[in-house]
Amino acid sequence: MRRIQGAVFDVDGTLLDSMEIWENLSERYLESMGVKPEPGLSRILNTMSTRQGTQYLIEHYGLQLDIRQAMEGINKMLYGFYSCEAPLKEGVPECLEELKRQKIPMIVVTSSDRVNVEAAFTRHGILSYFQEILTCSEMHTDKTKPDIFLEAARRLQAAPADILVFEDVLHALKTAGKAGFQTAAVYDRYSARQEKEIRETADYYLKTFKEFRTCAAMCTARVEQ
């Protein structure tokens, strides 16, 4: 039996109520350039990092831009949202404070870009809770692969079985679970259509972070090797 040694948090839809911007960001960007987006574009881009999604837009829509130019335009839209608007999910500060009190180190693993996450976290006063922020773009990966979760485990100096991963989307929960991590699903309205499968996939389910005492109990519980 081993005590859980760390917590890994997703950002969008988990700590931040920010999926709204991702639901129509690519459409907004294409429309700003006079390009009509295809139906269901957000679902196509759902598992991609910002860089991967931008490359898709360039190639699929024949944009006369290089990756740097396109990402600058998209990131300008994103930064305004994260630095000024993106709200925290309910109960996040209390949950993080409780985990800190329990001396459980925390790392962020996100598909968003670092500058946007840091801007939002600084505005909400939660940046200091996290040991590190790992981004899919910087690691050239996405959450359909376990690489970024395993790197978080390495930096936490703990085995996956001793780490609890908080995520809101099904594909990330499946990836972390298959890699041997404990998983806690966090409800988000943009993932509600998959709630049944999410509940079945995750080890734990939080309707809201207002249930932070349950969350803390998960992290201090002992799990079988």
Side-chain angles (χ1 to χ4, degrees):
M1 305 288 281
R2 299 184 298 195
R3 184 179 185 275
I4 285 176
Q5 299 296 315
V8 171
F9 286 88
D10 171 55
V11 176
D12 298 296
T14 300
L15 293 174
L16 295 180
D17 190 3
S18 53
M19 288 305 294
E20 176 184 357
I21 190 68
W22 293 101
E23 284 294 297
N24 57 22
L25 175 66
S26 298
E27 287 88 343
R28 273 200 243 178
Y29 178 67
L30 290 173
E31 287 167 356
S32 74
M33 302 183 68
V35 177
K36 184 177 180 179
E38 65 197 287
L41 178 59
S42 294
R43 288 192 296 275
I44 294 171
L45 303 179
N46 184 47
T47 65
M48 300 182 191
S49 69
T50 306
R51 187 177 186 86
Q52 290 171 328
T54 303
Q55 190 64 50
Y56 176 89
L57 296 181
I58 291 171
E59 294 174 359
H60 190 74
Y61 291 94
L63 303 182
Q64 299 303 301
L65 299 168
D66 60 31
I67 188 73
R68 180 188 60 80
Q69 293 170 322
M71 288 191 70
E72 281 179 358
I74 289 172
N75 284 334
K76 185 175 180 180
M77 288 184 176
L78 283 172
Y79 186 77
F81 175 76
Y82 281 92
S83 61
C84 301
E85 298 179 47
L88 285 178
K89 288 288 195 74
E90 280 189 298
V92 165
E94 294 86 351
C95 178
L96 298 180
E97 185 61 29
E98 178 64 16
L99 297 181
K100 179 182 176 181
R101 188 184 70 80
Q102 295 285 349
K103 295 184 171 57
I104 296 170
M106 294 170 269
I107 281 182
V108 163
V109 165
T110 179
S111 296
S112 288
D113 288 341
R114 177 181 301 276
V115 64
N116 297 325
V117 174
E118 289 179 345
F121 282 13
T122 297
R123 177 165 56 86
H124 288 296
I126 65 169
L127 184 61
S128 63
Y129 284 102
F130 300 101
Q131 177 179 309
E132 295 188 62
I133 295 173
L134 303 182
T135 74
C136 290
S137 292
E138 291 174 359
M139 290 190 61
H140 307 290
T141 189
D142 59 56
K143 291 185 181 179
T144 64
K145 308 177 188 70
D147 309 37
I148 198 164
F149 295 111
L150 294 172
E151 178 62 17
R154 188 185 72 79
R155 298 194 188 197
L156 288 167
Q157 298 184 326
D162 297 331
I163 296 170
L164 188 60
V165 173
F166 293 84
E167 283 277 0
D168 65 299
V169 295
L170 182 60
H171 72 271
L173 288 162
K174 284 184 173 179
T175 299
K178 287 177 182 177
F181 291 84
Q182 296 286 301
T183 56
V186 179
Y187 171 80
D188 187 73
R189 65 188 182 280
Y190 290 100
S191 301
R193 65 185 178 276
Q194 294 181 307
E195 183 174 349
K196 182 177 184 293
E197 193 173 357
I198 285 172
R199 283 181 177 270
E200 292 170 351
T201 298
D203 297 301
Y204 309 99
Y205 189 86
L206 295 177
K207 193 72 175 178
T208 167
F209 274 109
K210 291 179 76 174
E211 302 169 7
F212 75 94
R213 293 189 186 280
T214 302
C215 164
M218 292 177 199
C219 290
T220 55
R222 293 183 176 274
V223 296
E224 291 187 7
Q225 294 185 1

